[in-house]
Amino acid sequence: MDFDYKNKYKKYLLKLFLALFCVLFATGILNFFVNPYNIFQVPTCKLTYLKPEAKLQERLTKFIGLKFDKRKIDTVFLGTSRADYAIDKDYYKQLTGKEAENMAMGGMIIEEYQDVLDLILKIHPEIKNVYLSADFIMFGGNSVFDELSKAKLNTDKNLTSSEICSALFSITGLRDSAWTIIKNILGIKTKMYMPNGLRYPTENENFEESIAASIVEYSKKYENFEYNPEKLNTIRFLKEYCDNRGINLIIFVMPTHIVDMQLMQYENVYDDFLAWKQDLSYIVPFYYDFQYPCNISNEKFSADMKYFFEISHATPVTGNLILDELVSDNLSFGRFYSSDYSYVFNKSDRDELFLLADDEKERTLFLDKVWRKVKNAV
């Protein structure tokens, strides 16, 4: 009797183990081929081409993807969501014939750059070029507090068992794989991301709401913003770090819509913004500046905007224009910003911002209306 019971128990455990194994195996296969976070270098189909959750937990998923990536990478891009949304690594390869990876991530603070670059070079020591997107908004606040609040990275250059489990066998990954398939079946394309990590371009019927939301967001960011020049020491360190390793460090400033610069004026930080640009020019011989009043940054608001998603994030169309100029050094959109020309640039930018804002009275009234609503709500 005991023997029959034990035998049945063993068969039950074996069936349970096989069932769990089949579930885990199926989960791993599904997460691998659906690839909801663009981690793996796998082909796509109509059911898996666009990803709704590609930007989820980027500090985890981008590094897991980098560890899985066996390409010989020549160039890496660092920055915030501004570079993340606009810079196309595949277009860079078309221009140069060299492999690149966009490791820009939403919400990055300047204190993270050193750790991020150090880990990237541990994983891919063959990298020769680093394009660093510097954003003014990162150079404010308390350095000590931000140093303590930066994200924790897994500093192991090799894949760990926990990373493999997160990528292939997690319930969150299974949920996002299912969500990816469902959204692709339904034909939803809004706020979806392509295999190259860029947002899929769609018309935005609610563009005024999106723009108003970005005005509210950045009004709050600028309201209590205090420029901290000491944070530029990180750029100085990164330059020395790259120079010592024979790596080319190229600094560039991503564009924002002219309304973003008007908003800086409203919140009394535009002079700090210009001072930051000048201070940055004392650290490097020159950098590529794309954030200033010009025809592209003055794009009219509409449902099918070509150059910007809203006031803060440029589209891949703009990103390709930037890459054209970064690679060729033939500038028409951007400009070489150096300390020799900082006074001239800053003066002309003040004048041009005033003129363009005056020309677009309806847009300025829209900004004024949204901004006053934010202030009255406080």
Side-chain angles (χ1 to χ4, degrees):
M1 192 76 171
D2 288 343
F3 176 78
D4 290 341
Y5 176 77
K6 289 180 179 178
N7 197 34
K8 288 180 181 179
Y9 185 68
K10 286 180 180 179
K11 287 182 179 179
Y12 171 78
L13 287 178
L14 179 61
K15 289 179 181 179
L16 180 62
F17 174 78
L18 287 174
L20 289 174
F21 176 79
C22 290
V23 170
L24 280 175
F25 182 77
T27 299
I29 292 294
L30 183 68
N31 286 343
F32 179 77
F33 284 106
V34 175
N35 194 20
Y37 311 122
N38 285 325
I39 289 175
F40 310 108
Q41 309 293 314
V42 293
T44 60
C45 65
K46 288 183 179 180
L47 296 180
T48 64
Y49 182 70
L50 297 179
K51 326 283 186 179
E53 305 293 351
K55 301 302 177 186
L56 189 68
Q57 302 182 68
E58 282 188 304
R59 284 161 182 74
L60 173 66
T61 58
K62 280 205 169 187
F63 280 106
I64 295 175
L66 197 66
K67 293 176 183 181
F68 270 110
D69 196 338
K70 300 306 179 186
R71 295 176 299 152
K72 292 294 182 183
I73 298 175
D74 175 84
T75 299
V76 66
F77 290 87
L78 298 180
T80 63
S81 56
R82 289 177 179 173
D84 189 19
Y85 281 21
I87 300 298
D88 185 353
K89 62 183 181 181
D90 295 333
Y91 187 67
Y92 180 84
K93 185 178 180 180
Q94 289 180 34
L95 294 174
T96 65
K98 298 175 181 178
E99 297 288 354
E101 188 58 44
N102 187 344
M103 290 297 291
M105 292 173 273
M108 274 192 72
I109 59 177
I110 193 64
E111 286 77 12
E112 291 181 292
Y113 274 48
Q114 180 182 335
D115 293 343
V116 166
L117 181 57
D118 191 51
L119 182 53
I120 289 170
L121 293 177
K122 277 185 184 178
I123 301 168
H124 284 275
E126 73 277 10
I127 288 171
K128 296 299 181 187
N129 298 292
V130 174
Y131 285 88
L132 190 154
S133 169
D135 290 340
F136 169 61
I137 200 72
M138 297 189 301
F139 293 85
N142 187 297
S143 297
V144 175
F145 175 79
D146 288 340
E147 182 69 28
L148 293 173
S149 64
K150 66 184 182 182
K152 298 289 189 296
L153 298 175
N154 183 339
T155 56
D156 196 326
K157 69 177 183 179
N158 300 311
L159 278 165
T160 64
S161 57
S162 64
E163 288 176 326
I164 293 171
C165 288
S166 296
L168 292 174
F169 305 116
S170 71
I171 297 299
T172 302
L174 181 62
R175 179 202 66 192
D176 293 336
S177 289
W179 195 227
T180 297
I181 293 172
I182 290 169
K183 281 203 164 186
N184 277 282
I185 288 174
L186 296 176
I188 297 171
K189 293 181 170 62
T190 304
K191 293 186 179 179
M192 299 278 274
Y193 298 90
M194 299 179 287
N196 60 5
L198 300 179
R199 196 199 300 194
Y200 187 81
T202 58
E203 284 196 7
N204 184 3
E205 295 178 358
N206 301 316
F207 70 94
E208 286 192 354
E209 291 181 15
S210 298
I211 290 164
S214 64
I215 290 171
V216 171
E217 177 186 356
Y218 279 86
S219 174
K220 292 178 180 178
K221 287 183 178 182
Y222 293 142
E223 183 178 24
N224 297 311
F225 182 85
E226 292 184 11
Y227 171 46
N228 184 354
E230 289 183 4
K231 290 198 171 192
L232 285 164
N233 288 330
T234 300
I235 301 294
R236 188 175 285 108
F237 172 83
L238 290 173
K239 183 179 183 302
E240 293 175 1
Y241 178 93
C242 290
D243 287 345
N244 292 338
R245 288 162 177 76
I247 296 171
N248 297 318
L249 177 66
I250 302 97
I251 308 288
F252 67 106
V253 179
M254 287 292 297
T256 60
H257 196 276
I258 197 170
V259 166
D260 176 59
M261 290 170 255
Q262 286 181 263
L263 192 56
M264 290 183 197
Q265 284 188 322
Y266 277 44
E267 296 292 351
N268 298 313
V269 296
Y270 187 67
D271 286 344
D272 287 337
F273 169 65
L274 297 180
W276 166 74
K277 281 189 168 187
Q278 187 170 19
D279 291 344
L280 183 58
S281 72
Y282 297 141
I283 297 174
V284 292
F286 74 90
Y287 58 89
Y288 297 87
D289 180 24
F290 297 94
Q291 190 180 12
Y292 67 100
C294 63
N295 289 335
I296 288 177
S297 65
N298 196 39
E299 182 178 23
K300 291 184 179 297
F301 291 156
S302 67
D304 57 349
M305 290 172 68
K306 181 178 180 182
Y307 299 116
F308 292 94
F309 290 114
E310 14 73 10
I311 70 167
S312 180
H313 294 89
T315 65
V317 171
T318 310
N320 288 352
L321 293 176
I322 290 169
L323 288 175
D324 286 335
E325 300 194 4
L326 290 178
V327 169
S328 70
D329 273 349
N330 183 17
L331 303 189
S332 57
F333 168 23
R335 60 191 185 185
F336 296 110
Y337 195 108
S338 70
S339 57
D340 293 338
Y341 296 99
S342 61
Y343 175 79
V344 175
F345 283 152
N346 286 357
K347 185 179 185 306
S348 67
D349 287 354
R350 278 194 184 91
D351 295 341
E352 192 67 16
L353 182 60
F354 176 79
L355 290 172
L356 292 176
D358 191 55
D359 287 344
E360 294 288 341
K361 288 184 172 60
E362 185 176 342
R363 187 177 64 197
T364 301
L365 287 172
F366 175 76
L367 167 61
D368 191 64
K369 178 182 177 182
V370 175
W371 182 76
R372 290 185 183 280
K373 188 174 181 180
V374 173
K375 296 304 171 185
N376 290 335
V378 175

